[in-house]
């Protein structure tokens, strides 16, 4: 199987499938599809067309991405709408609500400014309530790494938000 030819012939089809399923352009998923094609080339049996086999890999990879906790965490946890909707204290004055809302927006902005590896552990552990062990399992790294990343992320957030503390 000429891998370069396979990629050139199916590149647009793979992009289209990923975009159709995930509703976004995602080069990482494309690379994952190419890697799976390359790793499983010896398993391909000519019972169907090569294009349909590759399409199935692209479809399954895209669906796995949508099911992944990584995707869900980053799609829902740091949007400003999520933070705004979670503020439902009716006993405060409009001024206090405004101040609280601005504070929440600053916190979200600070979290979004973190390095991706720090951002993901803060969201998983501090916002979504994952234990360190669950976070380590989902991210496939040691618990000590999770603790270290959370420590460093909190340190950065404290520096960014020092006037709020």
């Amino acid at each position: 199987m000429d891998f370069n030819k396979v990629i050139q012939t199916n590149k647009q089809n793979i992009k289209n499938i990923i975009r159709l399923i995930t509703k976004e352009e995602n080069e990482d998923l494309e690379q994952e599809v190419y890697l799976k094609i390359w790793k499983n080339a010896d398993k391909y049996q000519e019972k169907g067309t090569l294009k349909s086999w590759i399409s199935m890999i692209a479809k399954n990879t895209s669906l796995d991405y949508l099911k992944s906790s990584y995707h869900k965490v980053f799609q829902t946890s740091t949007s400003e709408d999520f933070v705004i909707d979670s503020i439902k204290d009716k006993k405060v004055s409009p001024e206090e609500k405004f101040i609280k809302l601005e504070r929440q927006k600053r916190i979200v902005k600070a979290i979004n400014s973190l390095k991706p590896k720090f951002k993901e552990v803060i969201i998983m552990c501090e916002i979504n309530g994952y234990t360190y062990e669950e976070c380590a399992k989902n991210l496939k790294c040691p618990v000590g790494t999770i603790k270290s990343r959370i420590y460093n992320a909190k340190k950065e957030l404290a520096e960014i938000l020092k006037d709020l503390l």
Side-chain angles (χ1 to χ4, degrees), residues 87-98 100:
I87 301 173
K88 295 187 175 156
D89 187 6
K90 299 188 192 268
K91 296 177 187 173
V92 294
S93 71
E95 268 178 41
E96 291 172 318
K97 279 186 181 182
F98 178 78
K100 217 176 191 181

Side-chain angles (χ1 to χ4, degrees), residues 105-116:
K105 284 182 180 180
R106 284 208 40 218
I107 293 169
V108 168
K109 187 176 179 183
I111 291 171
N112 283 328
S113 74
L114 293 173
K115 294 176 187 173

Side-chain angles (χ1 to χ4, degrees), residues 13-25 62 66:
N13 183 42
I14 291 168
K15 282 182 180 228
N16 292 342
I17 290 170
I18 291 170
R19 192 178 323 109
L20 179 71
I21 294 173
T22 66
K23 309 290 188 239
E24 62 185 54
E25 300 280 340
S62 298
L66 290 178

Side-chain angles (χ1 to χ4, degrees), residues 110-111 113-123 126 145-161:
I111 291 171
S113 74
L114 293 173
K115 294 176 187 173
K117 63 183 180 180
F118 292 163
K119 180 180 172 182
E120 68 187 349
V121 296
I122 285 292
I123 290 170
E126 300 301 324
T145 301
I146 300 300
K147 290 178 180 179
S148 170
R149 287 180 184 173
I150 286 178
Y151 172 80
N152 288 315
K154 286 181 177 180
K155 196 165 120 181
E156 278 189 39
L157 287 172
E159 182 61 33
I160 296 168
L161 301 169

Side-chain angles (χ1 to χ4, degrees), residues 18-152:
I18 291 170
R19 192 178 323 109
L20 179 71
I21 294 173
T22 66
K23 309 290 188 239
E24 62 185 54
E25 300 280 340
N26 194 323
E27 291 181 9
D28 290 339
L29 279 181
E30 284 180 55
Q31 293 300 318
E32 191 172 332
V33 170
Y34 298 142
L35 188 62
K36 286 181 179 182
I37 293 168
W38 181 70
K39 282 184 175 179
N40 296 303
D42 59 327
K43 296 177 184 170
Y44 170 68
Q45 298 171 352
E46 295 189 16
K47 292 182 180 174
T49 65
L50 180 62
K51 184 176 181 176
S52 65
W53 181 70
I54 291 172
S55 296
M56 187 60 67
I57 291 173
K59 176 186 153 209
N60 289 339
T61 302
S62 298
L63 291 172
D64 289 345
Y65 170 75
L66 290 178
K67 292 177 196 171
S68 73
S69 62
Y70 178 84
H71 170 74
K72 288 176 185 172
V73 165
F74 283 96
Q75 288 299 89
T76 61
S77 296
T78 58
S79 73
E80 290 181 4
D81 293 337
F82 174 80
V83 174
I84 292 167
D85 289 345
S86 67
I87 301 173
K88 295 187 175 156
D89 187 6
K90 299 188 192 268
K91 296 177 187 173
V92 294
S93 71
E95 268 178 41
E96 291 172 318
K97 279 186 181 182
F98 178 78
I99 292 169
K100 217 176 191 181
L101 180 62
E102 289 304 308
R103 180 182 169 98
Q104 290 288 5
K105 284 182 180 180
R106 284 208 40 218
I107 293 169
V108 168
K109 187 176 179 183
I111 291 171
N112 283 328
S113 74
L114 293 173
K115 294 176 187 173
K117 63 183 180 180
F118 292 163
K119 180 180 172 182
E120 68 187 349
V121 296
I122 285 292
I123 290 170
M124 290 178 83
C125 293
E126 300 301 324
I127 296 175
N128 292 336
Y130 284 66
T131 65
Y132 291 167
E133 291 76 17
E134 291 170 329
C135 188
K137 184 179 176 187
N138 285 329
L139 297 177
K140 296 179 177 81
C141 62
V143 173
T145 301
I146 300 300
K147 290 178 180 179
S148 170
R149 287 180 184 173
I150 286 178
Y151 172 80
N152 288 315

